[in-house]
Amino acid sequence: MSFRVRGRRVRKWFFGDSARAFGTLGVLLLALLAIVPAKDRFREWLGYQKEYEILIRGRTDGVALAKRFQSGVQQIWLPERDVTDRCMTCHTRLKETSLAGVGQPFRPHPPIPHSLTEFGCTICHRGQGVATTVEEAHRSTKAWEEPILPAQYSEAGCGQCHRDGLKGTPQLNAGRVLLARYGCVNCHRLVSPEGGASQGTDRPPSLKRIAEKTTREWIYFWIKDPQAWAATATMPNFGLSDADARDVSAFVISQSSPGSIAPAVATNDAGAAAGAELYGESFCASCHAMQNAAGKITGGDLAPDLTRVGSKVRPEWLAAWVKNPAAYLPGTMMPHFRFDEKQIGLLVSYLGRKQDSYFPANIRLEPATAAQIAHGQKLVLEKGCAACHEMNGVARPDNFAPDLTAVGSLPPARVLLAPGVPRTLPDYLAAKIREPHAFGREMKMPRNQFTDAQVEQLVTALLAQTSRSQTFPAALRRPTPVNVTYQPAGRAGQLMKDLRCLSCHSINGTGGSMAPDLTWEGSSVQRAWLLDFLKNPNTLRPVLIRRMPRFNLSNDDASTLADYIMTAYQTPAFDREEVDATKLTPTEASRGKSLFYGKYACNSCHIVDPDNDKGYIGPTLTQAGTRLNAPWIFHWLKNAQALRPGSLELNWNMNDEDAWAITAFLMQQKNTRKPGGER
Amino acid sequence: MVDCIRGTSPVSEPKDFRASFDSDSQRTPVRVAFVTRRTTPHVTKAGDDRVMTNPDALLRVAVAVMALLIVLVVVSLLFDAPLEGLANPLQTPNPAKAPWYFLGLQELLHYFPPVVAGVVIPSLVVLALVVIPYFNVNVEAEGFWNRNGERKSILVWVAVAALSAFLVWFSVYAVLVPTLVSGGALIVTAAAPPQDKGFGGWLRSKPLPFWIMTWFLVVAITLTVIGTCFRGAGWSWVWPWGEL
Amino acid sequence: MNSLYSRLRGTAVWRSVFRSGTGDTNLHRSLTVQQNIFLHLASVKIRRRALEFGVTWYLGTLSMASFVILVVTGVLLMLYYHPSVPQAYADMKDLQFVVSAGVFLRNLHRWAAHAMVVLVFAHMFKVFYRGAYRPPREFNWVVGVMLLLLTLFLSYTGYLLPWDQLAFWAITVGSNIISAVPAMGAKIRFLMLGGHTVNANALLRFYVLHCVILPLIAAVFLAVHFWRIRKDGGLYTGDKPRE
């Protein structure tokens, strides 16, 4: 029987007449309809739940786990937060800590202070909560534009509510610091839900009198590549061509208002050696870095690198600056050292010789033409220089760059495409920060040399800027602690402002973090010691290199300052004069000594006997008796954090008898000698 | 028509004779076939050739319905209905498209003012559809070119040229092309020999309403396909397979 | 098997429901059609030629079949659907991710709706090209045009119900066309949407139109349409006699 004939017979059997066709098609239809429940039977989540049951069956704690396991679709429904999360359908036991070693989707959630059922999953992690398939729940689709947040940016989820710098989110906090420090927020608006726009912390200098300070050649060199001049520079690289840099430098010099040229200062090599000594004694290195002979950069990062400062600034400007920085730049962080003319001469001699041979030899600029200046001005407007730097005749542009307030919710459809960059929001942000011109030469955004870790930090901070974060109820938000700017009053206040105490110290929540908090300093120390310290500071902590500079204060100024500190900065918790003499007996002191070396082992961190003690972590206590007040020591021992939040001092929970005994012992320490035999 | 011959209506005057139908059975109780001069009443089969609705028709209907159901079930198992993000009045997709059956109209909106494309044209189309059976009933369904070929060809030329000029004036090339195609086909078939048994002859036997409806159908399909597949952001022309 | 069937048909209960009685004569067959509320719109006998596939392509039958499929799936979908914002969209997600066979149900409804629009259009053109619109069937043609419009309205109102971007903007575009009607365009649009924009009122209005008003009107027109087929001389089978 040929194939054809058989085929015809088969067809006749199935479709020979209407009734047969009806029967055949009916059976076919029923078979197809049977696929529908079968499809349901093989849903992804059912497979995962089955896998979980097999997983726990083999475990010793399987019975307990099985008892807590709930099959079927699980969901967290929080209508007021727009959350319908079915993630726990597959991520079955997020709370089973005993499953720690197990892979996804059964891995337990790391411990967090929030309850899963109170917030759901997608508020922090994004993704499509209602979905019950892997693809729809995690990836971006036509119906869902917020794919799951990659694990390395998880802290962005916290950042939506927390602007208070959580301990657990170092990456986010660092990213926010970078956004302010590298001046991103000078061009981009970034508004918090409370309404305030973020402010930069980079303090770009005003250029209104720049011609007094430096030369056009230096500006040319600098704007072409700021990091080539100083690796710590926060100014980004605009990728200017030689001609563009020439024109911009021409304009910058031409807009500078003619200032009073200070008389030149005589410098000499002998002065340079003495100037180096003065530089060291004045602890300039607490803030300024400099490359030493070995090529290593040492010093602080609060102020500009001074390795090649002689090639940068004019000597007459340097002299005027060292004399009183605020005269040139009122907002500077640099203190007003009371240097005399001779000392200024020494410093200028020293710093003026910190030069770079490359710079004057290789950069020669012809005098600028009007056309070049005009072109430079056009470039300055185009590049938005005035968003950071004050300039004559150029207004600060508003909304120069895109608003980043809700950049974390940028829909993938609006993410730009570049070759080699996956089309996801985090990848886009990272690529844009790393190389802005990857998205087109015409992009105005300049480039900063960030490390990969810094890029990740910045992306985390930006991803936290979701549109959802703007609409969270106030009860959920943890705003940035409000900075009530503290400004000391009166003549002492003027003096403290002049000395820029708050550049390093903080008082009442305002100020720097380099030096100790002075909020309760008046309760802590004795006046005589303070006066002496102000006139001739020396470090209390042996391990620290940074020390307080000497400001060459007059006796009058020093005592004004000391009086003010002693009266204004007292804690309400106790009175520093209130000492019960019976507590500070020699018997008590000797008991305190044994407690100091024995029970509490204070000598692990502190030095009392400069010859034998090796505690280098805490402040030296050799002169505690002349420096500190007894009630301060007592309360410090009871609870140091109450007096100075964030202190490294352990919370001893000491009883009163022990605390008084140690206080008595310490009040005996009136040694003027420092460890190592110095002074 | 022929299977309606039942009565014995005398065909007394088989000369020039206008045929007409009337659906009012009270006024014209018997449906009549008219035998004109040019046809011969050659009856091959008369009377009923009917089958029972049950089961013949019912079974066939059931088979047809089942076939449709099978197709729809297979499609439903293989392809999911589209669903995009939650409606957001603030985020306009580009392009925003109407359902596919209105995309022909939306395409017209691109060429004509909204009143014309959105109101006048659709109203005219519906009106035309409604009046078709009442207006210009070509009962004989005579081929368009069968009579007065010369005069008609002038008319056709003028009509196609005028319509084309109008479409060029408004640069409605999406309508112009199908118009030229169907108009051209009409003109070309005039040349086909009347006795042609092939496609040409078949076309030549078609009356004017056939041509007009075909023109409308081709235009509607062209516009809908263009609107569905060839229109992108800002209603600009895009290729469905992407840029080459 | 056959005897069991005929015995079943002879029982008192069966005969109380179906009046056609036992037996396979043409009388009985006629009675099944005549005595059935659903079938009685059709004639008892039909021209053999009208059953040939080439004559009608069964387009009218298939249009009706898709309408029935749509009614059945649509009613089932109504069990899961709230015509409110944004719950409507959440219901779509529930159908997709949680409801057993929910996706299938929605797919079937959606594709059947598209199929119906295509089939109704095809039906119309087929009728035209066959010349089946001519008197005495001219009124049934008009009823058919009304049914075409109803089909479009049904599909269009259903298009908004998922309340996703596709739906929202398709309806926005469509309703903007209506506002081009001279003099009262804006009024008509307001009446249709229950507001000046596509919003929750529009969703409710479209829902009621889609699920109640338009299907009822369509059912009435369908009944007339079928009835008139029979009254206008049965399905049109063409001019030419069969060989």
Side-chain angles (χ1 to χ4, degrees):
Chain A
M1 197 160 49
S2 79
F3 183 76
R4 217 179 214 187
V5 172
R6 199 187 306 159
R8 201 179 303 146
R9 277 197 186 177
V10 169
R11 200 159 68 228
K12 211 167 169 193
W13 198 86
F14 282 113
F15 296 101
D17 55 53
S18 299
R20 278 173 189 270
F22 177 75
T24 309
L25 290 182
V27 171
L28 185 61
L29 178 63
L30 285 178
L32 282 168
L33 284 174
I35 296 177
V36 177
K39 233 179 153 184
D40 267 358
R41 190 75 198 79
F42 290 103
R43 285 190 170 199
E44 265 176 341
W45 61 267
L46 270 170
Y48 284 115
Q49 293 199 341
K50 209 164 285 166
E51 206 178 298
Y52 179 74
E53 284 178 288
I54 292 167
L55 175 89
I56 58 175
R57 202 175 296 156
R59 295 173 60 98
T60 46
D61 55 351
V63 179
L65 288 171
K67 208 175 274 173
R68 288 197 289 272
F69 170 67
Q70 288 166 304
S71 60
V73 173
Q74 305 293 315
Q75 80 174 12
I76 299 169
W77 187 53
L78 307 167
E80 72 280 11
R81 282 183 203 144
D82 196 16
V83 164
T84 309
D85 285 353
R86 302 187 172 129
C87 313
M88 288 168 83
T89 306
C90 295
H91 297 277
T92 42
R93 288 318 293 172
L94 288 171
K95 287 178 192 162
E96 297 291 5
T97 42
S98 67
L99 292 172
V102 177
Q104 288 293 25
F106 310 123
R107 193 187 298 158
H109 197 281
I112 48 163
H114 296 303
S115 129
L116 295 180
T117 43
E118 195 185 332
F119 285 90
C121 313
T122 51
I123 280 188
C124 297
H125 290 280
R126 311 188 180 188
Q128 187 177 187
V130 290
T132 53
T133 63
V134 175
E135 180 69 26
E136 287 280 340
H138 299 85
R139 271 170 273 294
S140 167
T141 66
K142 273 201 131 176
W144 200 256
E145 295 214 311
E146 281 207 330
I148 209 99
L149 202 58
Q152 75 257 43
Y153 304 117
S154 287
E155 289 173 19
C158 315
Q160 295 177 97
C161 293
H162 289 279
R163 276 156 216 284
D164 50 351
L166 277 183
K167 273 213 182 86
T169 60
Q171 189 171 314
L172 171 76
N173 304 346
R176 286 190 167 147
V177 168
L178 286 176
L179 281 176
R181 179 168 164 75
Y182 283 85
C184 309
V185 293
N186 291 340
C187 289
H188 295 281
R189 258 171 78 79
L190 210 157
V191 184
S192 73
E194 287 73 37
S198 294
Q199 299 297 323
T201 55
D202 54 337
R203 301 161 174 268
S206 162
L207 303 182
K208 285 188 164 175
R209 287 162 61 189
I210 189 69
E212 288 171 43
K213 177 178 179 180
T214 186
T215 61
R216 192 178 151 212
E217 282 72 17
W218 182 83
I219 295 174
Y220 171 87
F221 185 85
W222 166 263
I223 57 177
K224 273 189 63 104
D225 187 358
Q227 280 71 31
W229 180 264
T232 54
T234 57
M235 175 157 155
N237 187 335
F238 286 83
L240 295 173
S241 68
D242 287 358
D244 286 352
R246 177 196 67 203
D247 297 350
V248 170
S249 64
F251 172 72
V252 168
I253 289 292
S254 77
Q255 61 81 40
S256 173
S257 51
S260 49
I261 310 287
V265 183
T267 68
N268 53 62
D269 287 340
E277 211 168 293
L278 183 59
Y279 182 86
E281 277 174 16
S282 303
F283 296 106
C284 304
S286 291
C287 298
H288 291 281
M290 202 182 268
Q291 212 167 4
N292 61 17
K296 219 176 128 197
I297 293 174
T298 55
D301 62 353
L302 223 55
D305 184 314
L306 297 181
T307 312
R308 294 180 286 177
V309 67
S311 300
K312 173 180 171 182
V313 302
R314 299 176 188 278
E316 59 271 24
W317 176 86
L318 186 57
W321 173 262
V322 169
K323 192 172 179 193
N324 185 7
Y328 177 79
L329 204 62
T332 183
M333 285 178 82
M334 179 149 154
H336 178 194
F337 289 79
R338 273 94 171 126
F339 293 123
D340 58 25
E341 290 301 325
K342 186 173 162 249
Q343 284 175 313
I344 293 170
L346 296 178
L347 279 173
V348 173
S349 300
Y350 168 62
L351 292 173
R353 274 164 181 68
K354 291 280 170 193
Q355 289 195 356
D356 182 354
S357 54
Y358 170 86
F359 175 65
N362 287 288
I363 293 168
R364 290 263 178 281
L365 292 175
E366 302 296 324
T369 65
Q372 287 173 357
I373 293 174
H375 182 235
Q377 179 164 20
K378 193 170 148 264
L379 284 169
V380 162
L381 290 171
E382 263 173 29
K383 306 281 181 189
C385 306
C388 295
H389 297 285
E390 271 183 42
M391 271 184 270
N392 293 315
V394 186
R396 191 184 165 169
D398 279 332
N399 301 326
F400 183 70
D403 191 315
L404 297 183
T405 304
V407 71
S409 295
L410 195 70
R414 284 182 49 207
V415 163
L416 297 180
L417 204 57
V421 180
R423 195 166 187 171
T424 73
L425 183 57
D427 288 310
Y428 163 67
L429 292 175
K432 181 88 200 238
I433 292 167
R434 223 173 256 132
E435 184 46 86
H437 290 137
F439 296 91
R441 285 297 329 165
E442 72 286 355
M443 292 286 167
K444 280 188 279 191
M445 180 162 148
R447 189 168 58 87
N448 271 99
Q449 279 179 329
F450 290 118
T451 64
D452 285 353
Q454 283 177 318
V455 171
E456 216 160 87
Q457 289 161 357
L458 281 165
V459 172
T460 307
L462 290 176
L463 286 174
Q465 295 299 128
T466 58
S467 47
R468 183 180 240 165
S469 72
Q470 304 291 313
T471 55
F472 274 130
L476 284 180
R477 289 201 299 258
R478 295 288 173 272
T480 327
V482 184
N483 261 337
V484 184
T485 336
Y486 168 74
Q487 190 57 56
R491 173 151 176 265
Q494 277 309 111
L495 209 50
M496 285 171 78
K497 198 182 162 205
D498 202 33
L499 296 171
R500 299 289 191 273
C501 298
L502 295 180
S503 290
C504 300
H505 293 281
S506 84
I507 299 172
N508 294 336
T510 304
S513 56
M514 193 202 285
D517 187 298
L518 299 182
T519 310
W520 309 134
E521 188 69 3
S523 299
S524 169
V525 300
Q526 301 175 19
R527 186 180 182 279
W529 175 86
L530 180 62
L531 192 62
D532 185 41
F533 181 82
L534 285 172
K535 279 160 62 177
N536 192 12
N538 50 16
T539 187
L540 299 171
R541 264 165 238 260
V543 283
L544 295 184
I545 306 160
R546 286 180 190 139
R547 297 207 296 188
M548 171 135 148
R550 190 156 67 183
F551 295 108
N552 309 307
L553 291 173
S554 67
N555 286 336
D556 190 26
D557 283 350
S559 70
T560 307
L561 212 48
D563 285 339
Y564 185 79
I565 290 171
M566 291 311 288
T567 43
Y569 301 139
Q570 291 199 56
T571 170
F574 59 86
D575 181 359
R576 66 167 182 251
E577 308 294 344
E578 204 174 79
V579 185
D580 182 356
T582 60
K583 306 262 189 196
L584 301 179
T585 58
T587 355
E588 277 293 291
S590 66
R591 195 171 78 84
K593 182 173 185 179
S594 64
L595 288 170
F596 187 90
Y597 287 102
K599 185 172 174 189
Y600 297 106
C602 309
N603 58 324
S604 321
C605 298
H606 294 283
I607 293 171
V608 168
D609 175 2
D611 298 324
N612 300 318
D613 292 351
K614 294 280 180 278
Y616 287 109
I617 292 171
T620 311
L621 298 176
T622 48
Q623 19 174 353
T626 51
R627 181 163 77 91
L628 299 170
N629 297 313
W632 173 269
I633 299 179
F634 172 77
H635 284 96
W636 182 267
L637 289 169
K638 295 285 289 179
N639 186 359
Q641 273 71 26
L643 294 172
R644 200 167 282 166
S647 163
L648 283 178
E649 183 75 60
L650 301 178
N651 196 345
W652 293 107
N653 236 344
M654 217 177 263
N655 60 45
D656 285 9
E657 286 72 34
D658 286 3
W660 275 122
I662 294 177
T663 306
F665 169 62
L666 289 178
M667 286 310 286
Q668 282 185 336
Q669 307 305 317
K670 302 193 173 172
N671 196 341
T672 50
R673 202 160 58 85
K674 295 198 64 194
E678 198 185 307
R679 151 90 195 284
Chain B
M1 223 197 284
V2 173
D3 69 0
C4 291
I5 294 181
R6 216 176 302 158
T8 50
S9 241
V11 187
S12 50
E13 286 283 307
K15 44 184 177 182
D16 287 339
F17 190 84
R18 297 303 300 166
S20 76
F21 277 122
D22 192 346
S23 58
D24 189 342
S25 58
Q26 287 173 350
R27 202 168 65 194
T28 317
V30 180
R31 296 194 189 108
V32 185
F34 299 96
V35 182
T36 64
R37 240 184 302 177
R38 283 178 297 279
T39 52
T40 322
H42 176 68
V43 180
T44 53
K45 196 169 181 182
D48 250 354
D49 183 17
R50 291 175 181 249
V51 292
M52 298 302 293
T53 299
N54 172 29
D56 299 62
L58 287 183
L59 263 180
R60 277 167 174 262
V61 165
V63 169
V65 170
M66 206 112 72
L68 175 74
L69 248 178
I70 286 174
V71 170
L72 287 176
V73 166
V74 168
V75 170
S76 301
L77 284 172
L78 294 181
F79 304 102
D80 280 350
L83 184 69
E84 295 190 356
L86 176 65
N88 182 354
L90 303 176
Q91 198 184 319
T92 316
N94 196 354
K97 286 191 180 183
W100 63 267
Y101 37 82
F102 288 151
L103 284 183
L105 279 183
Q106 209 182 340
E107 175 69 18
L108 280 181
L109 270 176
H110 181 57
Y111 306 106
F112 298 111
V115 183
V116 177
V119 182
V120 176
I121 293 178
S123 309
L124 282 180
V125 167
V126 171
L127 193 69
L129 286 175
V130 168
V131 301
I132 278 176
Y134 298 100
F135 178 72
N136 185 25
V137 184
N138 182 3
V139 178
E140 288 97 342
E142 198 178 21
F144 181 65
W145 295 115
N146 279 7
R147 266 188 284 181
N148 297 330
E150 305 243 318
R151 219 180 62 205
K152 279 182 183 169
S153 95
I154 294 169
L155 275 174
V156 168
W157 273 105
V158 169
V160 172
L163 193 56
S164 302
F166 170 78
L167 294 171
V168 169
W169 179 258
F170 282 93
S171 7
V172 195
Y173 301 112
V175 180
L176 178 67
V177 172
T179 303
L180 288 179
V181 168
S182 39
L186 176 58
I187 290 162
V188 168
T189 49
Q195 277 72 42
D196 189 351
K197 287 269 182 239
F199 185 61
W202 179 78
L203 274 184
R204 205 174 188 287
S205 71
K206 293 299 170 189
L208 186 62
F210 168 90
W211 287 102
I212 294 176
M213 192 57 135
T214 306
W215 170 75
F216 170 71
L217 179 61
V218 175
V219 167
I221 290 177
T222 311
L223 287 177
T224 307
V225 168
I226 288 176
T228 309
C229 306
F230 293 88
R231 289 301 182 179
W235 213 252
S236 60
W237 186 273
V238 294
W239 301 104
W241 47 86
E243 291 301 318
L244 293 176
Chain C
M1 184 72 191
N2 268 341
S3 66
L4 191 72
Y5 180 53
S6 58
R7 226 189 299 158
L8 180 70
R9 293 210 300 175
T11 58
V13 175
W14 182 280
R15 296 210 53 170
S16 74
V17 180
F18 303 105
R19 296 297 190 188
S20 51
T22 57
D24 273 336
T25 65
N26 278 1
L27 171 66
H28 289 102
R29 287 174 174 167
S30 306
L31 283 173
T32 26
V33 175
Q34 222 176 60
Q35 302 289 321
N36 186 305
I37 175 82
F38 303 108
L39 296 177
H40 87 282
L41 286 178
S43 54
V44 165
K45 280 183 160 193
I46 184 166
R47 267 180 224 105
R48 185 184 292 283
R49 189 167 146 67
L51 291 180
E52 279 175 28
F53 181 74
V55 175
T56 60
W57 292 353
Y58 283 70
L59 288 168
T61 307
L62 294 179
S63 303
M64 178 62 193
S66 28
F67 181 75
V68 174
I69 295 171
L70 284 164
V71 169
V72 172
T73 53
V75 168
L76 289 177
L77 284 171
M78 281 169 79
L79 297 178
Y80 299 103
Y81 183 81
H82 305 76
S84 64
V85 178
Q87 186 56 39
Y89 183 72
D91 291 334
M92 293 301 113
K93 294 286 183 187
D94 282 359
L95 280 173
Q96 189 178 357
F97 294 119
V98 185
V99 176
S100 302
V103 193
F104 175 75
L105 208 56
R106 193 165 102 79
N107 290 349
L108 197 55
H109 194 74
R110 182 102 175 184
W111 300 134
H114 286 319
M116 183 168 164
V117 174
V118 173
L119 286 167
V120 168
F121 265 113
H123 179 44
M124 184 189 82
F125 282 106
K126 179 75 180 164
V127 164
F128 178 84
Y129 283 128
R130 288 198 305 129
Y133 62 91
R134 283 177 294 200
R137 298 180 175 84
E138 74 270 43
F139 179 67
N140 216 13
W141 166 268
V142 175
V143 173
V145 171
M146 292 305 136
L147 279 168
L148 169 74
L149 294 179
L150 278 169
T151 305
L152 291 180
F153 285 143
L154 271 166
S155 178
Y156 183 70
T157 48
Y159 214 83
L160 180 66
L161 301 190
W163 200 251
D164 63 341
Q165 280 286 78
L166 200 62
F168 182 87
W169 290 101
I171 303 311
T172 303
V173 168
S175 62
N176 283 345
I177 296 179
I178 292 173
S179 58
V181 175
M184 48 196 231
K187 286 261 161 59
I188 298 177
R189 186 162 179 272
F190 190 90
L191 179 72
M192 187 175 98
L193 298 180
H196 292 292
T197 56
V198 180
N199 55 18
N201 289 350
L203 181 64
L204 186 62
R205 222 159 257 217
F206 274 46
Y207 175 75
V208 174
L209 279 171
H210 184 75
C211 300
V212 183
I213 300 175
L214 292 176
L216 282 179
I217 299 176
V220 170
F221 272 84
L222 279 170
V224 174
H225 201 55
F226 290 132
W227 174 252
R228 286 302 291 249
I229 294 173
R230 187 176 146 195
K231 290 290 142 184
D232 291 341
L235 285 177
Y236 183 71
T237 48
D239 307 330
K240 293 188 202 96
R242 270 197 88 205
E243 298 298 317

